[in-house]
Amino acid sequence: MITKSKIHEVENATVRDRDGVLAGKVAQVFPSDEDGSAAFVSVSTGLLGGHTVLVPVEDATFDGSDLHVGYAKSAMKGAPSPGAGNTLSAGEANAVRKHYGLSPIGRATGDMGDPHENLDQAGTGPAGADDTEGAGTTPPA
């Protein structure tokens, strides 16, 4: 996560894809409405940075010079471009999220509709501690 205090450090950083391949340069950072951390960046790609695409950065890391994103360079090529202005509408953000296979903003991703569910730790706690035991069943009332 790129915190609000680190956004200015990320501006103009080199962007590397999930395999470390050079993808472009950060043109603009779009903060989230929730906490001000970076939600998306626009990346200048192609020869002389002639094309700009949007990339989600919720799971990105910044090492001081390079922004490492979790997507392949090939996936970025067909991504939506930013519209006019310095903000993204919910529709624009959701179009980007859809392109990268992410759930829309405001939607739960857990199998039982729990937005706080952590599927990476499924089955590690006591019975009933996560929602995975009931996958495919009707959520409790």
Side-chain angles (χ1 to χ4, degrees), residues 94-115:
N94 282 332
V96 175
R97 293 180 65 79
K98 180 178 180 181
H99 173 81
Y100 289 98
L102 301 171
S103 62
I105 294 171
R107 290 283 179 95
T109 58
D111 62 313
M112 300 296 278
D114 179 358

Side-chain angles (χ1 to χ4, degrees), residues 2 6-14 26 29 38 41 62 67:
I2 310 303
K6 297 284 184 187
I7 285 179
H8 291 295
E9 293 178 35
V10 172
E11 293 172 344
N12 297 313
T14 300
V26 173
V29 180
V41 294
F62 180 63
L67 180 67

Side-chain angles (χ1 to χ4, degrees), residues 27-114:
Q28 184 176 355
V29 180
F30 295 91
S32 74
D33 291 334
E34 295 162 4
D35 63 3
S37 64
F40 300 93
V41 294
S42 61
V43 179
S44 297
T45 64
L47 292 174
L48 304 173
H51 184 65
T52 305
V53 297
L54 291 164
V55 181
V57 292
E58 295 161 345
D59 295 334
T61 59
F62 180 63
D63 66 10
S65 61
D66 294 337
L67 180 67
H68 299 269
V69 297
Y71 305 99
K73 183 177 179 179
S74 60
M76 292 180 218
K77 287 184 181 180
S81 296
N86 295 325
T87 61
L88 292 178
S89 69
E92 290 170 318
N94 282 332
V96 175
R97 293 180 65 79
K98 180 178 180 181
H99 173 81
Y100 289 98
L102 301 171
S103 62
I105 294 171
R107 290 283 179 95
T109 58
D111 62 313
M112 300 296 278
D114 179 358

